[in-house]
């Protein structure tokens, strides 16, 4: 008769092994329990840096109690009992046996600062991962009343975390972070395509807006054909060439941008403007580009933190590179939405004329309110 499986043992067998930092936490706590005077060597680490509630409670208890006399500590367990009682007020399940187990887990008490450094590095990784995750979630939350502002605030908080890590872990020589294969978020939806078509048509009908909208670049578009046509419009505008559907079509052909689209189809796309200001549609496209870039930034940083082989130095370098891409879009968004003040009534390069809201037949309420 086969033996009856023990559900408790089976559950324990399925638990993943603890990560390396868990053993560093045990070693540090063991060093401080065995030789409490080592606590004076531990700087810049708090109970929040530990991965478990039990370890955090023990470290907080050790910090809260004055170190005992070494001679007295070697003869009795009075101080250990005080630590256990103080930690027990914060969490349950701690025993005297576990404290002795921690002491046995410490290879060398004099290496306590090295153990603390390991814990601090892993805590920094967790903080960075959490900030990146919050940025990702913000970009996806369509219920936010001020989605872009909230996203940029989360990006600022993420930047603060990166800068704090860089301060606590000075730059040292080392390899750059490995290039990670990321899966871009698909943004080529029907709403985005309609907005891009409306911009192209209205900008073709009002060529003066193209020069004013230097804050919009082809990379902001979700459809390659639309990106190419916007490039044609900006090229014609900057060269002083007249702009209308035919000249844009010819520019697209000269640069091989038209692709498989029929000339009549492109002429129809460029000849169907609405009554809206082109700047309005440009801002909608730029807003979508900013949110998409912020999402990609969070995902890149999150993937870096998920790779255990990525060092703290590589985390800082990789995160700053990802944030630089977002910062570039943020600057363009600022130019698009904040006209530069002037002393004369003349319109400056980034200002826009008074705008009428999009007509109900061309812009759904969700599009009109997204700003």
């Amino acid at each position: 008769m086969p033996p009856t499986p023990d559900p408790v043992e089976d559950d324990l067998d399925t638990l993943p092994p603890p990560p390396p930092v868990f053993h560093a936490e045990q070693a540090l706590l063991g060093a401080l329990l065995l030789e409490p005077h080592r606590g004076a060597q531990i700087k810049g680490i708090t109970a929040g840096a530990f991965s478990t509630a039990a370890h955090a409670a023990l470290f907080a208890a050790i910090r809260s109690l004055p170190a005992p006399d070494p001679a007295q500590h070697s003869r009795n367990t009075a101080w250990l009992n005080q630590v256990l009682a103080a930690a027990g007020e914060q969490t349950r399940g701690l025993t005297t046996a576990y404290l002795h187990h921690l002491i046995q887990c410490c290879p060398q008490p004099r290496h306590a600062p090295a153990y603390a450094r390991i814990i601090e590095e892993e805590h920094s990784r967790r903080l960075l991962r959490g900030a990146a995750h919050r940025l990702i979630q913000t970009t996806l939350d369509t219920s936010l009343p001020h989605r872009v502002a909230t996203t940029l605030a989360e990006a600022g908080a993420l930047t603060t975390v990166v800068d704090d890590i860089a301060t606590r872990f000075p730059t040292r020589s080392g390899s750059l972070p490995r290039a990670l294969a990321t899966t871009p978020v698909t943004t080529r939806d029907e709403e985005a395509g309609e907005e891009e078509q409306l911009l192209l048509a209205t900008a073709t009908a009002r060529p003066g807006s193209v020069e004013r909208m230097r804050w919009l670049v082809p990379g902001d578009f979700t459809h390659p054909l639309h990106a190419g046509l916007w490039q044609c419009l900006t090229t014609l505008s900057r060269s002083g060439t007249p702009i209308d559907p035919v000249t844009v079509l010819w520019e697209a052909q000269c640069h091989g941008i038209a692709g498989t689209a029929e000339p009549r189809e492109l002429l129809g796309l460029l000849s169907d403007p609405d009554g809206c200001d082109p700047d309005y549609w440009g801002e909608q496209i730029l807003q979508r580009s900013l949110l998409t870039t912020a999402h990609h930034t969070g995902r890149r940083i999150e993937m870096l933190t998920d790779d255990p082989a990525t060092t703290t130095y590589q985390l800082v370098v990789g995160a700053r590179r990802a944030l630089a891409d977002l910062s570039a879009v943020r600057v363009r968004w600022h130019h698009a939405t904040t006209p530069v003040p002037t002393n004369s009534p003349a319109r400056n390069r980034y200002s826009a004329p008074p705008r009428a809201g999009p007509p109900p037949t061309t812009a759904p309420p969700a599009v009109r309110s997204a700003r």
Side-chain angles (χ1 to χ4, degrees), residues 51-221:
S51 62
T52 70
H55 288 177
L58 281 172
F59 185 79
I62 293 171
R63 283 298 207 199
S64 68
L65 297 171
D69 177 73
Q72 286 291 111
H73 184 60
S74 64
R75 289 197 295 267
N76 59 64
T77 61
W79 187 78
L80 293 179
N81 293 335
Q82 294 177 20
V83 169
L84 184 62
E89 296 177 359
Q90 303 295 325
T91 188
R92 297 180 180 180
L94 289 171
T95 64
T96 303
Y98 188 64
L99 267 60
H100 288 286
H101 173 70
L102 292 174
I103 293 174
Q104 294 173 354
C105 287
C106 178
Q108 292 290 345
R110 66 176 181 272
H111 294 167
Y115 304 146
R117 192 67 168 177
I118 294 172
I119 296 168
E120 191 179 5
E121 287 191 19
E122 187 61 24
H123 179 54
S124 297
R125 183 187 298 269
R126 291 197 300 270
L127 289 176
L128 187 58
R129 182 187 297 120
H133 181 73
R134 288 190 293 274
L135 175 61
I136 294 171
Q137 294 305 308
T138 302
T139 64
L140 299 175
D141 190 353
T142 57
S143 66
L144 293 172
H146 305 288
R147 195 172 169 194
V148 170
T150 307
T151 296
L152 292 178
E154 288 294 346
L158 175 56
T159 302
T160 300
V161 172
V162 175
D163 291 342
D164 181 61
I165 295 174
T167 300
R168 289 185 290 113
F169 298 91
T171 302
R172 60 185 181 183
S173 60
S175 60
L176 296 178
R178 293 178 293 173
L180 300 176
T182 58
T183 303
V185 177
T186 302
T187 57
R188 196 188 299 177
D189 54 29
E190 183 177 350
E191 180 179 326
E194 290 178 354
E195 290 175 355
E196 293 169 4
Q197 291 179 18
L198 286 168
L199 169 66
L200 294 170
T202 53
T204 302
R206 303 182 188 181
S209 63
V210 179
E211 178 67 15
R212 193 170 64 241
M213 297 168 63
R214 290 194 174 188
W215 37 262
L216 191 67
V217 300
D220 294 324
F221 289 74

Side-chain angles (χ1 to χ4, degrees), residues 319-338:
R320 283 180 167 170
R321 285 181 173 180
L323 287 166
D325 294 339
L326 177 57
S327 179
V329 184
R330 181 192 61 79
V331 170
R332 292 192 288 111
W333 174 257
H334 176 77
H335 284 312
T337 58
T338 309

